[in-house]
Amino acid sequence: MMAYCFNLFLIIALLVFQTSFAPNFKLFYGFFNLMSLFVLYLVLYRPHQEIIVFILLAGVLMDSSSSCPFGLYTTIYIWLSLGIKWTLKYLHKENVIIIPMIFSGVILVENFFIMSGIGLIDNDFSFHPEKFRSLIYQLMYGVFLGPLIILWIKKLHAKWNSWSFEKIFKHFG
Amino acid sequence: MVIVVSLILLFFFNVLALFISGRHYYSPQVYPNGHSGGVGQYFFPIIAPFQKGLTKTLLFGEELWTHYFYLVSVAKENEELEYALRNAIKKNKECLETEFSNQRLRSFLNFQKSMANDTIAAQVIGRDPSPWFKSIIIDKGSYDGVRKGLPVVIPEGAAGQVIEVSSRYSKVLLLIDRNSAVDSLAQKTRARGIIRGSSDGKFLFQYVLKKYEIHEGDTVISSGLDGVFPKGLTIGRVFSVSQNSSGMFQEIVAIPFVDFEKLEEVMIVLPYSDQEDVRS
């Protein structure tokens, strides 16, 4: 129950940060999609039932907040989670180099899916250099900051789990 | 083998569903209660209150910074402002004179005063989480009179169109999004075409016949023929023109007048039929 509350809180916090806070600062230009990082975190460290519920929720909320065709992000997250699960069969996830590598792959696959989705409904679609620059920024941010944020989420989750409803009620009298 | 076949079937079903969803999403159908009918309208209002809260907090922080922490430089600034005020008073007198002569000329030419549409002011509380799509969330919905398809403008010109409406919030597709299209005119030559968004934040002014002479710097305005945007709204300035040897149309790129990165407040333009309802 506490884990579900944590994930819900985290999804909302990440989405609000990405849509209402980050666009006000130039520092975050080309920042990677935080929700895909959350998907990676779920697949790496959370049990199956949590992954399914929160991947669907993350996808639906992203689809609703964006002007993309409804279902695009849900589709991306489902296929990404399957792909990451399959990749982890052959890789040791505790290795330092693995998480940045997988996250770079996640960023590339996500952008590829979006381009395919756009191409599906727009015949005039072409890959503009501006988007290429944005992709490079995403990869750079992702390789350096992605693993750190995942570690931070992991620690935060452990801290959250150490609490319980009894402790909270006791604290507030 | 069964898993591979299932995955292939799932993939094809997935592509088909996305294709149908993509076609349905931008259809102009509006339901009687003013809502847009898509599944998305039930979910983005979940995030919107938090976005609104954060936006208000940021604005409060900005105000606090501007009003209290800059007091050190206020004394110096005061002197500069007094000087600026004297200049402004002088300019104001000149402007008043210009305004009077303007009024005289208007009455001389017997210009008919045109009735402007009513508008609803809204604050931008969230932006598109994806860099591939360009939309914003605003803090006005069907309770305030907003409906799917209404045009969104700011003083600099046309900004976008409402694509999804919930009771308190709405989603606006910006003109720089690739799915956006506005029937437009080159102001000088009256050449007609379609303004579309592109990946780099500029506009493509498409379907302009080669017989029209379009120059860099020409202004593009809305034609009003699409039934969405009122006629005469400024949209952009022509950036480049190229005429390929083949084809009937010119390739024109325009730069938007609106700075879409800095949108904070917008106005939703109501059609004439709605104005009485909102007033009542």
Side-chain angles (χ1 to χ4, degrees):
Chain A
M1 182 63 186
M2 290 296 274
Y4 279 73
C5 289
F6 176 81
N7 288 334
L8 190 65
F9 165 78
L10 195 64
I11 281 186
I12 292 174
L14 291 177
L15 196 56
V16 171
F17 177 87
Q18 196 167 319
T19 55
S20 294
F21 185 82
N24 295 313
F25 302 95
K26 280 194 173 172
L27 176 73
F28 294 106
Y29 168 79
F31 207 70
F32 55 83
N33 182 4
L34 286 166
M35 210 56 84
S36 56
L37 188 77
F38 175 69
V39 169
L40 177 60
Y41 167 75
L42 282 178
V43 180
L44 286 175
Y45 301 113
R46 304 308 304 163
H48 283 296
Q49 65 271 28
E50 250 179 69
I51 295 175
I52 296 164
V53 170
F54 285 101
I55 275 180
L56 288 176
L57 184 64
V60 168
L61 285 177
M62 278 294 285
D63 285 328
S64 308
S65 306
S66 174
S67 58
C68 65
F70 197 88
L72 182 64
Y73 275 99
T74 312
T75 300
I76 291 171
Y77 294 155
I78 289 170
W79 287 103
L80 266 181
S81 58
L82 289 173
I84 297 167
K85 272 276 174 207
W86 180 77
T87 311
L88 285 174
K89 277 184 187 175
Y90 305 98
L91 297 169
H92 184 57
K93 69 180 176 190
E94 299 306 328
N95 191 324
V96 186
I97 206 83
I98 294 301
I99 294 179
M101 211 175 78
I102 295 179
F103 191 51
S104 307
V106 166
I107 291 172
L108 288 171
V109 170
E110 184 189 358
N111 280 281
F112 172 76
F113 263 99
I114 294 172
M115 279 191 283
S116 312
I118 295 171
L120 206 66
I121 52 170
D122 185 1
N123 298 331
D124 298 335
F125 172 68
S126 61
F127 190 72
H128 196 273
E130 176 67 26
K131 291 297 166 203
F132 182 72
R133 202 172 62 161
S134 163
L135 187 59
I136 297 294
Y137 274 110
Q138 284 182 51
L139 284 171
M140 276 164 54
Y141 270 123
V143 167
F144 294 109
L145 287 180
L148 292 177
I149 298 174
I150 285 192
L151 278 178
W152 178 73
I153 294 174
K154 202 179 160 191
K155 279 197 170 181
L156 201 68
H157 205 157
K159 183 91 180 162
W160 181 284
N161 282 343
S162 69
W163 297 347
S164 65
F165 280 121
E166 289 82 32
K167 277 187 186 176
I168 294 168
F169 290 141
K170 206 175 175 183
H171 180 78
F172 288 103
Chain B
M1 186 62 188
V2 178
I3 294 171
V4 174
V5 173
S6 310
L7 280 173
I8 291 168
L9 281 174
L10 183 61
F11 177 77
F12 279 114
F13 176 74
N14 200 170
V15 171
L16 184 68
L18 262 182
F19 185 76
I20 294 165
S21 163
R23 292 286 171 194
H24 170 78
Y25 197 66
Y26 302 105
S27 71
Q29 191 186 1
V30 181
Y31 288 78
N33 59 359
H35 286 210
S36 45
V39 187
Q41 65 174 311
Y42 302 109
F43 290 99
F44 76 85
I46 298 171
I47 297 296
F50 296 101
Q51 293 174 318
K52 189 176 179 179
L54 185 68
T55 308
K56 295 260 185 216
T57 312
L58 282 174
L59 284 175
F60 177 72
E62 195 185 324
E63 215 163 86
L64 199 71
W65 179 263
T66 328
H67 285 96
Y68 296 99
F69 295 105
Y70 276 3
L71 276 177
V72 185
S73 60
V74 162
K76 196 186 168 193
E77 204 179 333
N78 193 36
E79 283 177 17
E80 290 170 0
L81 286 174
E82 275 179 356
Y83 178 70
L85 182 65
R86 279 197 295 275
N87 277 343
I89 290 169
K90 192 183 157 200
K91 284 219 165 176
N92 192 31
K93 283 176 184 166
E94 291 169 11
C95 284
L96 275 174
E97 185 55 36
T98 314
E99 195 184 323
F100 289 141
S101 50
N102 196 9
Q103 280 174 0
R104 278 199 315 274
L105 286 168
R106 272 175 188 270
S107 56
F108 182 71
L109 291 168
N110 202 18
F111 274 173
Q112 195 177 16
K113 196 178 177 185
S114 58
M115 177 79 101
N117 293 45
D118 275 357
T119 56
I120 302 168
Q123 191 173 29
V124 177
I125 57 164
R127 288 171 183 279
D128 204 304
S130 170
W132 291 91
F133 303 97
K134 305 288 177 190
S135 65
I136 51 172
I137 307 285
I138 55 172
D139 66 345
K140 292 286 186 295
S142 56
Y143 279 179
D144 308 286
V146 180
R147 280 197 296 115
K148 187 181 178 183
L150 291 184
V152 176
V153 300
I154 64 166
E156 285 81 10
Q161 191 180 359
V162 177
I163 53 165
E164 239 173 85
V165 184
S166 74
S167 49
R168 296 282 180 200
Y169 306 97
S170 304
K171 196 192 290 176
V172 176
L173 185 74
L174 298 178
L175 290 192
I176 46 170
D177 190 284
R178 60 177 63 255
N179 292 301
S180 190
V182 185
D183 199 307
S184 311
L185 291 173
Q187 197 171 36
K188 210 184 280 180
T189 56
R190 313 312 283 178
R192 199 177 151 200
I194 303 286
I195 280 280
R196 281 194 65 189
S198 72
S199 313
D200 57 347
K202 294 193 180 92
F203 291 135
L204 301 174
F205 190 23
Q206 295 178 320
Y207 309 115
V208 178
L209 291 170
K210 280 184 174 173
K211 67 178 180 178
Y212 294 108
E213 270 192 37
I214 308 281
H215 301 287
E216 285 174 24
D218 283 0
T219 301
V220 182
I221 57 168
S222 57
S223 70
L225 294 169
D226 51 16
V228 176
F229 288 92
K231 187 177 181 177
L233 281 176
T234 51
I235 292 177
R237 181 174 287 119
V238 173
F239 174 70
S240 66
V241 184
S242 87
Q243 295 200 348
N244 282 344
S245 53
S246 62
M248 293 162 65
F249 307 113
Q250 309 183 47
E251 286 176 11
I252 302 169
V253 177
I255 298 174
F257 280 123
V258 174
D259 187 348
F260 290 97
E261 299 299 320
K262 290 180 182 168
L263 278 183
E264 286 179 27
E265 285 96 21
V266 293
M267 285 181 285
I268 302 123
V269 182
L270 295 173
Y272 285 113
S273 56
D274 280 16
Q275 289 176 13
E276 286 306 314
D277 299 342
V278 171
R279 280 188 194 119
S280 62

